[in-house]
């Protein structure tokens, strides 16, 4: 029978001997190659420095501390193991969070000479916060306190008193000497008063806390095309299992579907389970993209823009509650703001106290509002769909990691949470004359009104008769016309209104100028070949331009510069109006903070 896999993380403050403990565990298990041992002997100052087995970076060896997360693999006849060796220095606590996020068990080290430190409490709390319910406390360097039982029992009592604030956690205490090897792999004779297991025996027998199943969760990373032009939707399963024939719910559309096939690379599967990376195809034609999610229809995630979360702040710059951050959740990225800081953790007591600020390494309970809905679960139910990171949009650095406690004021899958609850913004339709801009704009306008959006439409021809009366068709006049349209659209968007602009706007630079002024700007390229546009031309403009009667016609004797990277491109020569509208809604409406059925 195949042995089970246990992922565990090793955590400790600086100089607690964590790297030496892991080195001892690997060395006494004969899990270190001879050439690696020879290399370590050459650089060891006294004897064999086992900490160098894991501290592989040059900076780590020079400073004598662990900086990066190192993953080590070994096995025994009873079990296979993946160790995440994480930094203990407060400066690198973010790396500790990364290494612990996938662990089943945490091994927290305490220096017997120093006892329970603030960093020990922070590590214990973070382990619990990250969903680890089995924590082994290794009281190390017992040789430095003459293996006294009284020292061990005092540390045990002190940490148990603090950890009383953590529900459902199981703490096991082991006295060890990583330097001499006592109670790591072998028992040794120095502590006959301890009758518990060695560290290895504990790791071989501990049973991780049972997982809480959230149902199928497949966040989509990309869309693949099969040999027969079939679409396969690829991603890593974040919850549950899936097999051909399963009924599924497709988010954000709220439509139902049925799994036609499941693949692992090019191999067909009869079933797939978390955490496999797979691709699936669906019966019938569906329109899905990165950031969408395939889920269990009986146990769907919550759709919400309002989160109650616990946030671990990783930046030296304090939280700015008036600043917009990027929130990365599963495979989608949305704009978000910290609406409120409710309380921060007092590491000394492991209790949350009222607070309104958040600085480096602080842990706080916060409220977050996102620009468009997330499909999420509480972290206790699903680590993947219950966690996120915050990114600074300017530096692109990760500034915080968070776990979702609950969703507040959830939006339903087919309507806004309340009429008018959406962001203002601009949907800018650009394309050649007769490409279909006005047709799409009218349908989008009506559909948004039906859903309760505050919406206005700015048609290029109508604006010219009023706002831009007197302007000609030179490049300068055309640019000025677009600036005026952009100015009005910006005012509308700033006041929570969705402005739909339908204008040829032929020059890329002026469109980008308008985009730079409007934070929620969606460029929709209504694309149809020139010959198709000429066939549709009910006004006869192209015919007049071809005969020379009309000068400066875009596409004939004046250029049209298509968008370099539009948010949406609608091929109106290939797709129906309804299909194009759905394409716009799938991207733009969710960005503005709503859903549609």
């Amino acid at each position: 029978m195949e042995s089970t896999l246990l992922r565990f993380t090793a955590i400790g403050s600086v100089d607690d001997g964590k790297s030496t403990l892991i080195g001892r565990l690997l060395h006494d298990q004969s899990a270190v190659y001879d050439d690696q041992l020879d290399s370590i002997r050459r650089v060891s100052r006294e004897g064999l420095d086992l900490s160098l087995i894991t501290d592989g970076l040059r900076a780590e060896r020079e400073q004598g501390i662990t900086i990066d997360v190192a993953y080590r693999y070994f096995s025994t006849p009873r079990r296979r193991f993946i160790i995440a060796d994480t930094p203990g220095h407060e400066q690198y606590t973010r790396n500790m969070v990364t290494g612990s996020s996938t662990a089943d068990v945490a091994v927290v080290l305490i220096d017997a000479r120093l006892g329970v430190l603030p960093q020990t409490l922070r590590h214990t709390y973070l382990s619990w916060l990250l969903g680890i319910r089995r924590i082994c406390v290794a009281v190390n360097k017992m040789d430095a306190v003459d293996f006294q039982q009284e020292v061990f029992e005092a540390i045990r009592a002190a940490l148990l008193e603090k950890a009383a604030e953590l529900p459902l956690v199981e703490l096991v205490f082991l006295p060890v000497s990583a330097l001499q090897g006592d109670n790591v792999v072998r028992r040794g004779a120095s502590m006959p008063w301890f009758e518990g297991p060695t560290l290895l025996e504990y790791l071989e027998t501990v049973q991780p806390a049972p997982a809480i199943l959230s149902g199928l969760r497949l966040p989509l990373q990309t869309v693949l095309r099969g040999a027969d032009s079939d679409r396969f939707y690829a991603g890593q399963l974040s919850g549950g299992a899936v097999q051909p024939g399963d009924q599924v719910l497709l988010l954000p559309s709220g439509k139902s579907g049925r799994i036609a096939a499941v693949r692992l690379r090019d191999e067909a599967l009869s079933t797939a389970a978390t955490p496999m990376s797979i691709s699936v195809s669906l019966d019938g034609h569906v329109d899905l993209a990165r950031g969408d999610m395939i889920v269990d229809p009986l146990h769907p995630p919550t759709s919400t823009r309002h989160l109650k979360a616990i946030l671990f702040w990783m930046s030296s710059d304090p939280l700015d509650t008036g600043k917009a951050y990027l929130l990365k959740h599963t495979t989608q990225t949305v704009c978000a703001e910290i609406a409120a800081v409710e309380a921060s953790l007092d590491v000394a007591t492991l209790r949350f106290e009222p607070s309104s600020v958040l600085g480096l390494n602080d842990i706080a309970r916060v409220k977050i509002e996102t620009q468009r809905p997330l499909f999420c679960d509480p972290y206790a139910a699903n680590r993947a769909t219950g966690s996120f990171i915050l990114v600074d949009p300017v530096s692109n650095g990760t500034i915080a990691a968070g776990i979702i406690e609950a969703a507040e004021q959830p939006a339903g899958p087919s309507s806004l949470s309340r009429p008018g609850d959406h962001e203002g913004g601009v949907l800018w339709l650009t394309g050649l004359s007769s490409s279909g801009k006005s047709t799409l704009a009218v349908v989008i306008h009506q559909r948004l009104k039906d859903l309760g959006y505050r919406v206005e439409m700015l048609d290029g021809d109508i604006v010219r008769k009023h706002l831009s009366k007197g302007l000609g068709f030179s490049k300068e006049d055309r640019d000025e016309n677009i600036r005026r349209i952009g100015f009005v659209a910006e005012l509308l968007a700033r006041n929570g209104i969705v402005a739909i602009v339908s204008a040829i706007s032929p020059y890329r630079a002026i469109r980008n100028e308008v985009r730079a002024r409007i934070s929620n700007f969606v460029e929709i390229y209504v694309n149809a070949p020139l010959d198709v546009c000429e066939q549709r031309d009910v006004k006869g403009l192209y015919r007049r331009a071809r005969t020379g009667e009309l000068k400066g016609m875009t596409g004939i004797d004046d250029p049209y510069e298509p968008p370099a990277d539009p948010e949406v491109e609608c091929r109106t020569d290939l797709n129906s109006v309804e299909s194009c509208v759905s394409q716009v809604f799938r991207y733009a409406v969710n960005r503005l903070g709503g859903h549609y059925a």
Side-chain angles (χ1 to χ4, degrees), residues 131-406:
I132 302 174
R133 297 294 179 259
R134 305 289 187 263
I135 299 178
C136 173
V137 181
V139 181
N140 191 27
K141 301 189 179 183
M142 289 299 295
D143 54 296
V145 295
D146 297 325
F147 300 102
Q148 296 179 60
Q149 182 177 1
E150 293 78 10
V151 174
F152 171 74
E153 294 294 347
I155 292 173
R156 180 177 182 274
L159 187 55
L160 282 175
E161 180 183 358
K162 300 293 186 181
E165 300 293 329
L166 308 180
L168 303 177
V169 68
E170 176 186 285
L171 292 174
V172 173
F173 292 80
L174 306 179
V176 302
S177 170
L179 186 64
Q180 298 185 10
D182 296 78
N183 282 349
V184 180
V185 173
R186 301 176 181 86
R187 190 165 300 279
S190 301
M191 292 176 282
W193 46 267
F194 181 71
E195 298 179 352
T198 66
L199 176 61
L200 181 61
E201 288 171 345
Y202 170 81
L203 294 172
E204 285 185 319
T205 56
V206 65
Q207 295 301 316
I212 301 175
L213 301 179
S214 61
L216 173 64
R217 302 287 186 268
L218 180 58
L220 301 185
Q221 294 177 343
T222 189
V223 180
L224 306 174
R225 300 301 294 268
D228 299 325
S229 296
D230 294 331
R231 286 185 174 88
F232 281 84
Y233 305 99
Q236 182 179 27
L237 281 166
S238 299
V242 64
Q243 60 187 11
D246 283 353
Q247 286 281 355
V248 293
L249 178 66
L250 311 177
L251 297 176
S253 70
K255 295 180 179 180
S256 297
R258 183 184 296 274
I259 300 294
V262 180
R263 298 192 315 182
L264 177 62
R265 293 182 288 274
D266 294 326
E267 177 186 354
L269 300 179
S270 58
T271 187
T274 304
M276 295 174 64
S277 293
I278 61 169
S279 61
V280 301
S281 63
L282 299 166
D283 286 342
H285 176 72
V286 294
D287 187 14
L288 297 173
R290 179 181 175 86
D292 294 350
M293 193 178 292
I294 299 175
V295 303
D296 180 352
L298 299 180
H299 303 93
T302 301
S303 174
T304 185
R305 293 176 50 232
H306 305 272
L307 302 173
K308 185 175 182 180
I310 294 178
L311 202 63
F312 174 65
W313 197 255
M314 300 177 174
S315 173
S316 56
D317 295 326
L319 167 70
D320 182 352
T321 54
K323 182 177 180 178
Y325 296 102
L326 297 178
L327 187 151
K328 292 190 175 184
H329 173 262
T330 63
T331 57
Q332 66 170 321
T333 301
V334 301
C335 289
E337 291 185 0
I338 311 299
V341 178
E342 296 185 324
S344 62
L345 182 74
D346 184 339
V347 176
T349 63
L350 296 185
R351 295 178 181 175
F352 281 94
E353 303 293 344
S355 176
S356 59
V357 297
L358 197 54
L360 178 64
N361 288 332
D362 283 346
I363 301 167
R365 183 167 276 125
V366 302
K367 290 185 176 181
I368 297 177
E369 294 184 7
T370 61
Q371 190 180 55
R372 63 177 186 268
L374 303 179
F375 314 116
C376 60
D377 299 284
Y379 185 84
N382 189 305
R383 285 188 179 186
T385 57
S387 62
F388 60 87
I389 62 172
L390 291 181
V391 175
D392 187 297
V394 177
S395 68
N396 203 36
T398 300
I399 57 172
I403 66 171
I404 297 169
E405 289 191 295

Side-chain angles (χ1 to χ4, degrees), residues 28 30 72 130 230 240 279-280 333 343 358 360 364 398 401 404-405 432 466 469 516 521 528 550 558 584:
D28 290 5
S30 301
R72 306 297 173 187
L130 293 167
D230 294 331
S279 61
V280 301
T333 301
L358 197 54
L360 178 64
T398 300
I404 297 169
E405 289 191 295
L432 292 171
H466 302 281
K469 188 175 182 180
F521 183 94
L550 181 64
D558 199 71
V584 171

